[in-house]
Amino acid sequence: MSSKVALLNRITHYVVNRKGKQMRPMFVFLVSKMVSDGEVNDRTYRGASVIELIHTATLVHDDVVDDSNRRRGFFSINALWKNKIAVLVGDYLLSKGLLLSIDNNDFDLLKIISVAVREMSEGELLQIEKARKLDITEEVYYEIIRQKTATLIAACCSLGAASVKPDSEHVERMRKFGELIGMAFQIKDDLFDYGEEKIGKPTGIDIKEQKMTLPLIYALNNSSEKDKRWLINSVKNHNKDKKRVKEVIQFVKDAGGLSYAENKMKSFQQEAFDLIQHYPDSPYKASLELMMTYVIDRKK
């Protein structure tokens, strides 16, 4: 991570010391071990490093886009060093990750990562486009979260497989596996918006940001014209009104939006679960199953 620029070193040091759950590199290692009877190699380590670098870069950029001052309970880069620096640091982390693959001729891994970066950008832009009109269907919502969140977890799992078994059928199967986990992971995130727990981001924030999440989409599609107008008007024009946001949250709960989203989340999880059942039992497979359970049961 080191650079000749002292400011950059100070910032990357700050980033590294406030790392999150590091779930994504874990997927890389566990998948590579599951498909190869416990084998990892230098490519696996590089793949896991690249994923964490790219993920961190996207978080730094996201905080600028969302004008967010906190990340994982600490100040975000843009809060401490302003937007311009945060954007440049994100670019630095991104190029550092891509160069790690190029310098070691890991071109197959580089392709997986580059596709993920492209899809994540598209997903974010699609979400912004749809937030303006609030005309989002369930299908479009799945496309947004597939690109925005699931594609990076899919990349982790296919990277893990590709690092030890390049060009094998494991690579695509594990990509699909990761995508399904990512879908469940994002729906869980959406459900936090309606919870009571303190999770590092305030509840009702998606509504304030006019983000259309699955519970809200379900409530919209299953309410009368009058209620629909009230809901859209609330999200569009009254999203800063705390009382109104509370009413929207209650309406979505009463409409069955949360239980619908929970069921969808569990069905994605089950599909992912089915994809790895034919692999022999091992500590790695058991750990992956634990992580799949964690994605759904986590409290933050």
Side-chain angles (χ1 to χ4, degrees):
M1 296 286 282
S2 65
S3 138
K4 295 189 185 75
V5 180
L7 172 64
L8 196 46
N9 285 336
R10 221 170 32 246
I11 296 172
T12 49
H13 188 77
Y14 180 82
V15 170
V16 169
N17 284 328
R18 283 156 190 77
K19 51 188 177 283
K21 297 183 280 287
Q22 293 188 305
M23 237 176 73
R24 287 158 189 81
M26 264 189 257
F27 275 119
V28 177
F29 288 121
L30 290 173
V31 165
S32 76
K33 288 180 172 181
M34 180 180 74
V35 303
S36 66
D37 300 324
E39 187 197 327
V40 290
N41 55 29
D42 285 350
R43 272 162 58 83
T44 320
Y45 279 93
R46 287 196 296 269
S49 307
V50 169
I51 280 290
E52 192 62 9
L53 278 166
I54 304 271
H55 177 56
T56 307
T58 59
L59 295 183
V60 171
H61 281 165
D62 275 356
D63 288 340
V64 175
V65 171
D66 297 339
D67 205 11
S68 171
N69 290 327
R70 312 286 287 184
R71 166 69 63 184
R72 297 168 177 155
F74 297 96
F75 283 115
S76 58
I77 305 287
N78 49 300
L80 291 173
W81 284 284
K82 301 288 177 276
N83 284 349
K84 186 174 180 177
I85 291 177
V87 169
L88 295 169
V89 169
D91 291 345
Y92 176 77
L93 295 170
L94 188 64
S95 57
K96 197 88 175 150
L98 300 178
L99 280 168
L100 181 59
S101 299
I102 292 167
D103 291 345
N104 293 283
N105 294 330
D106 297 331
F107 294 112
D108 55 335
L109 306 187
L110 182 63
K111 183 170 183 190
I112 293 171
I113 293 152
S114 302
V115 167
V117 173
R118 183 195 67 200
E119 297 239 301
M120 285 155 71
S121 314
E122 284 184 353
E124 282 289 351
L125 287 162
L126 180 59
Q127 183 169 47
I128 291 166
E129 180 195 333
K130 292 295 172 188
R132 288 185 179 151
K133 290 204 191 89
L134 300 187
D135 61 343
I136 189 168
T137 61
E138 210 170 307
E139 278 61 46
V140 172
Y141 165 81
Y142 291 134
E143 186 54 23
I144 289 171
I145 68 167
R146 187 190 66 72
Q147 291 187 311
K148 224 184 73 161
T149 303
T151 193
L152 193 62
I153 297 178
C156 300
C157 297
S158 56
L159 268 184
S163 69
V164 288
K165 302 259 187 199
D167 304 319
S168 65
E169 80 285 355
H170 300 291
V171 179
E172 176 52 28
R173 183 181 300 131
M174 288 297 100
R175 188 200 66 75
K176 187 69 193 153
F177 168 74
E179 185 173 285
L180 290 161
I181 293 174
M183 301 290 276
F185 186 88
Q186 185 57 52
I187 295 174
K188 177 67 176 182
D189 244 25
D190 291 353
L191 285 164
F192 281 138
D193 208 44
Y194 295 89
E196 305 299 323
E197 300 99 346
K198 291 276 169 279
I199 52 150
K201 75 167 193 177
T203 50
I205 196 99
D206 289 337
I207 296 167
K208 290 188 187 81
E209 291 175 1
Q210 300 189 23
K211 278 186 187 154
M212 298 296 280
T213 58
L214 191 55
L216 184 58
I217 291 164
Y218 179 82
L220 265 174
N221 293 339
N222 291 279
S223 56
S224 66
E225 277 306 313
K226 180 168 160 277
D227 285 341
K228 202 178 266 183
R229 276 199 303 277
W230 175 82
L231 261 182
I232 288 178
N233 183 28
S234 303
V235 174
K236 259 202 146 134
N237 305 317
H238 302 280
N239 52 38
K240 303 282 186 287
D241 176 343
K242 283 203 172 89
K243 182 169 168 284
R244 191 75 169 255
V245 169
K246 273 211 169 95
E247 285 167 9
V248 169
I249 290 175
Q250 197 52 52
F251 182 89
V252 170
K253 284 181 178 170
D254 296 343
L258 299 198
S259 45
Y260 180 79
E262 264 166 30
N263 290 335
K264 278 288 178 197
M265 172 177 78
K266 286 182 178 140
S267 77
F268 282 124
Q269 183 200 31
Q270 189 55 50
E271 257 186 274
F273 200 76
D274 295 344
L275 273 179
I276 59 168
Q277 282 324 298
H278 70 285
Y279 286 102
D281 285 338
S282 67
Y284 323 116
K285 180 177 163 184
S287 294
L288 274 171
E289 287 171 347
L290 266 174
M291 280 183 77
M292 289 162 67
T293 313
Y294 164 76
V295 158
I296 282 197
D297 293 342
R298 67 200 167 98
K299 297 285 181 277
K300 65 178 185 179

